[in-house]
Amino acid sequence: MRHRLVRRLAVLCASATLLIGSTLATGTAAHASPSSLGGCRNPYVCVYEPHQVRVGAYKDVTPYWQTFSRTDVTYVYNARHYGAAYFLYSSGYTSCAEPGRQASLYHRGYGKVTGIRISTDLHCYA
């Protein structure tokens, strides 16, 4: 009985490890790697096109949306030490990147990124 219980526990642990590992692998594929989003330092929020080439850098904290002149922005790296970066989409939806974070700006159904607003908040939607 005890041997069977130990074996079941081992199988359960192995299954959980595989599940967690596959989830982590899937999650990291959606974001660009830190080394690929280069050329951005504090106090900037840098935006990148699909091939991860930087196409803009913003640093001004504003109460309004700064508009983009490009329509192919798909990644962001917020190199700021403080200040969440909010992104406005053509659908009216928003997304956010916290300080020191990078993210994909592509969200199915959101449309194209049309603006950025940098706040003094340490966390998104605070």
Side-chain angles (χ1 to χ4, degrees), residues 1 5 10 22 27-28 30-31 37 41 57 64 70 74 77 89 109 113:
M1 175 79 165
L5 182 61
S22 66
T28 56
H31 298 284
L37 297 181
R41 294 202 166 98
Y64 56 87
R70 297 184 65 111
T74 55
Y77 176 59
Y89 294 81
V113 179

Side-chain angles (χ1 to χ4, degrees), residues 22-33 52 75 104:
S22 66
T23 302
L24 290 174
T26 303
T28 56
H31 298 284
S33 66
Q52 301 176 3
Y75 295 104
S104 170

Side-chain angles (χ1 to χ4, degrees), residues 45 58-62 80 83-86 116-120:
V45 175
Y58 300 83
K59 70 175 184 175
D60 296 333
V61 173
T62 63
R80 298 174 67 88
Y86 294 89
I116 181 174
R117 184 175 59 80
I118 300 172
S119 74
T120 57

Side-chain angles (χ1 to χ4, degrees), residues 2-79:
R2 183 175 169 201
H3 179 65
R4 209 177 338 187
L5 182 61
V6 169
R7 192 168 57 197
R8 284 184 182 175
L9 183 60
V11 169
L12 181 61
C13 289
S15 298
T17 302
L18 288 173
L19 178 63
I20 291 169
S22 66
T23 302
L24 290 174
T26 303
T28 56
H31 298 284
S33 66
S35 61
S36 65
L37 297 181
C40 192
R41 294 202 166 98
N42 185 46
Y44 290 96
V45 175
C46 299
V47 292
Y48 300 81
E49 53 94 31
H51 299 289
Q52 301 176 3
V53 174
R54 188 177 77 173
V55 294
Y58 300 83
K59 70 175 184 175
D60 296 333
V61 173
T62 63
Y64 56 87
W65 294 104
Q66 300 175 63
T67 58
F68 285 144
S69 58
R70 297 184 65 111
T71 59
D72 62 345
V73 173
T74 55
Y75 295 104
V76 59
Y77 176 59
N78 183 352

